[in-house]
Amino acid sequence: MKTAVRGDVLSFRGNPFREAERDCLAFQRDALVVMENGRIAACGPAAELLPTLPADLAVAHYPDHLILPGFIDCHVHYPQTEMMAAYGEQLLDWLHHYTFVTEQGFADEAHARDVARVFLDEQLRNGVTTGCVFGTVHAGSVDALFEAAAGHNLRILAGKVCMDRHAPPALLDTPLTAYEQSRALIQRWHGKGRAEYVITPRFAPTSSHGQLEMLGALAAEFPDVAIQSHISENLDEIAWVKQLFPGCRDYASVYQRYGLLRPRAVYGHGIHLSDEELQAFHDSGASLAHCPTSNFFLGSGCLNLRRCVEGERAIPVGLGTDLGAGTSFSMLQTMNAAYMAAQSHGKPLSAAQAFYLATRGGAEALGIADKVGSIAVGMEADLAVLNLRSTPLLDFRMRYARDLSEALFIQMMLGDDRAVAATYVAGSPVYRRAAA
């Protein structure tokens, strides 16, 4: 199947935190992206490529729009879709009063399928074409998500949460069942279509030494499988980890001790990491998911992004919505919050840097930059099409945009789901915004 889209195209060929932005941006006016068999077959000036297309191929034309790689959400909890905007707690109380209550409902696989459908529909409506997703402790919650994602041919990474302590009995597994169920899910789903399994301890406090040892053994058995968890989100959480793991120097060394700090290990938050912990991330190849709307919502703090992405111990970082502590499916709104977090440290985040984090940067953090995150021949054909004048205010404001950088900044500060005109997955349009 061949499809094509026409419009202004933006992608990245480098990292704007480390190189001049003009050398990182790949921007083409009035370009054509031709997609075939799920991949990008050609990308270049429309005037040159249009004559090469079959006469009967309909080209979707998007004037006054911007065609981007599909957005990548590096850290999100799909079961928490139903509890977004839960009032008034910080991390540890919020988990017990809201999250653990909600997640018990996923023992019902019909409920899991219903929430998975809503979750993926919302992601696509927001131009998110790849997510790194937490299920619940129930293996069926992961089956439900992978099944729903396969219906859209989505590239998705997901895993069953593992925890055997400090949670309600209905949400606890054991070291052995965590290993066995995770291993069975790897065999059932990993590498099937565009699905990838992710080994998923919720966070160190909810896994015993025995469970972390078993998950470390699983990680050693499957070295190509990604890992996801949380780290250094909240000061009370960090103090709790010190009590639970007195033999470990710090939070990062807990994961390191069990073989869970390595390339393709993606940890949410990392707000309060020490210099030594950042060095451990750098040395191991592990990465962070920056989740600013969640950090603000729970009062956890503001990540100093520059400290993570610049200098000799730089590490890969992507953006995460972290629903349901996160407050929006929109990666534009997540960029908005990331800008505000950076401002609190006196180092503004440029629009190019923000869009990089939401596309190629996220792909690099997840270890899939050879597949998604850029628009180039041979890459998987996942695209988000932004309407640059999606609201009356944006239409007015864009009249005064002086250049591409300002236009991008306006979108990330004032845009939301309404800006996503279309989403393409593996070359097929899976979402088109209805005309107002």
Side-chain angles (χ1 to χ4, degrees):
M1 177 177 161
K2 182 178 283 190
T3 53
V5 295
R6 179 181 180 180
D8 295 345
V9 173
L10 175 67
S11 186
F12 289 88
R13 52 178 173 244
N15 182 340
F17 290 101
R18 302 180 194 172
E19 308 163 45
E21 290 187 0
R22 64 179 178 275
D23 297 329
C24 299
L25 288 171
F27 177 67
Q28 301 179 65
R29 287 206 179 276
D30 194 23
L32 196 70
V33 181
V34 182
M35 300 168 281
E36 189 169 13
N37 298 323
R39 294 185 178 273
I40 296 172
C43 181
E48 294 179 10
L49 290 178
L50 282 170
T52 70
L53 298 181
D56 60 348
L57 180 64
V59 176
H61 191 192
Y62 294 100
D64 282 330
H65 288 59
L66 186 64
I67 301 166
L68 297 159
F71 292 132
I72 297 172
D73 189 343
C74 289
H75 185 99
V76 60
H77 300 255
Y78 99 85
Q80 296 177 22
T81 303
E82 67 182 83
M83 52 161 284
M84 290 177 68
Y87 169 75
E89 305 283 358
Q90 293 203 341
L91 175 64
L92 299 180
D93 289 333
W94 183 84
L95 284 173
H96 285 280
H97 293 164
Y98 296 116
T99 305
F100 292 159
V101 175
T102 297
E103 292 190 0
Q104 291 179 58
F106 286 75
D108 179 350
E109 292 190 19
H111 178 66
R113 287 193 294 271
D114 183 50
V115 177
R117 177 187 56 78
V118 172
F119 169 79
L120 292 177
D121 284 350
E122 285 297 311
Q123 282 206 312
L124 294 173
R125 203 164 64 83
N126 283 275
V128 176
T129 55
T130 298
C132 191
V133 190
F134 287 69
T136 68
V137 74
H138 312 97
S141 72
V142 183
D143 287 325
L145 183 64
F146 277 136
E147 288 165 5
H152 295 292
N153 197 20
L154 278 167
R155 176 159 294 285
I156 189 166
L157 300 85
K160 165 197 136 58
V161 164
C162 301
M163 52 183 182
D164 64 344
R165 62 177 179 173
H166 302 136
L171 290 180
L172 297 180
D173 53 14
T174 69
L176 183 59
T177 58
Y179 171 86
E180 290 179 338
Q181 291 177 3
S182 298
R183 193 178 192 281
L185 286 162
I186 290 172
Q187 294 178 321
R188 187 151 65 245
W189 288 108
H190 188 66
K192 303 296 173 62
R194 302 181 76 198
E196 292 194 54
Y197 193 76
V198 188
I199 297 168
T200 308
R202 174 168 234 117
F203 68 153
T206 50
S207 288
S208 66
H209 296 272
Q211 184 169 84
L212 290 172
E213 285 179 346
M214 292 295 281
L215 294 177
L218 184 67
E221 189 176 351
F222 295 96
D224 66 317
V225 170
I227 299 165
Q228 65 181 350
S229 192
H230 301 78
I231 192 167
S232 296
E233 178 178 358
N234 171 284
L235 295 175
D236 290 339
E237 166 209 9
I238 295 168
W240 193 22
V241 169
K242 287 182 179 179
Q243 293 175 358
L244 294 171
F245 299 92
C248 293
R249 182 186 68 250
D250 49 38
Y251 205 154
S253 65
V254 175
Y255 295 122
Q256 193 170 37
R257 172 180 176 180
Y258 297 103
L260 299 173
L261 209 64
R262 70 181 191 190
R264 304 202 72 206
V266 186
Y267 287 87
H269 305 287
I271 302 167
H272 308 289
L273 290 173
S274 67
D275 290 346
E276 292 76 15
E277 288 174 302
L278 281 174
Q279 188 68 53
F281 267 69
H282 173 83
D283 293 342
S284 68
S287 51
L288 278 183
H290 179 22
C291 308
T293 70
S294 170
N295 297 340
F296 285 132
F297 182 75
L298 292 177
S300 301
C302 291
L303 177 72
N304 186 341
L305 178 64
R306 299 282 181 170
R307 184 169 166 262
C308 300
V309 298
E310 296 178 348
E312 294 182 357
R313 58 164 183 254
I315 61 175
V317 177
L319 285 181
T321 60
D322 194 29
L323 306 170
T327 54
S328 177
F329 278 88
S330 171
M331 293 302 286
L332 294 173
Q333 286 298 294
T334 304
M335 292 183 228
N336 176 317
Y339 173 80
M340 295 181 185
Q343 280 286 65
S344 73
H345 291 285
K347 295 182 177 180
L349 179 70
S350 75
Q353 290 165 342
F355 276 86
Y356 164 80
L357 291 175
T359 55
R360 179 171 172 156
E364 290 173 349
L366 296 178
I368 53 174
D370 60 327
K371 300 177 179 68
V372 295
S374 303
I375 298 176
V377 173
M379 297 293 286
E380 294 175 3
D382 294 344
L383 306 175
V385 182
L386 294 189
N387 177 1
L388 302 181
R389 301 175 183 273
S390 59
T391 67
L393 177 59
L394 275 166
D395 182 45
F396 176 78
R397 181 63 182 89
M398 284 295 293
R399 297 179 201 174
Y400 303 96
R402 293 167 295 182
D403 53 27
L404 175 63
S405 293
E406 187 168 10
L408 291 174
F409 188 72
I410 291 166
Q411 297 303 311
M412 72 186 240
M413 298 312 295
L414 301 179
D416 53 29
D417 61 286
R418 293 169 292 179
V420 178
T423 304
Y424 286 76
V425 169
S428 297
V430 294
Y431 168 76
R432 283 195 177 102
R433 184 168 180 81

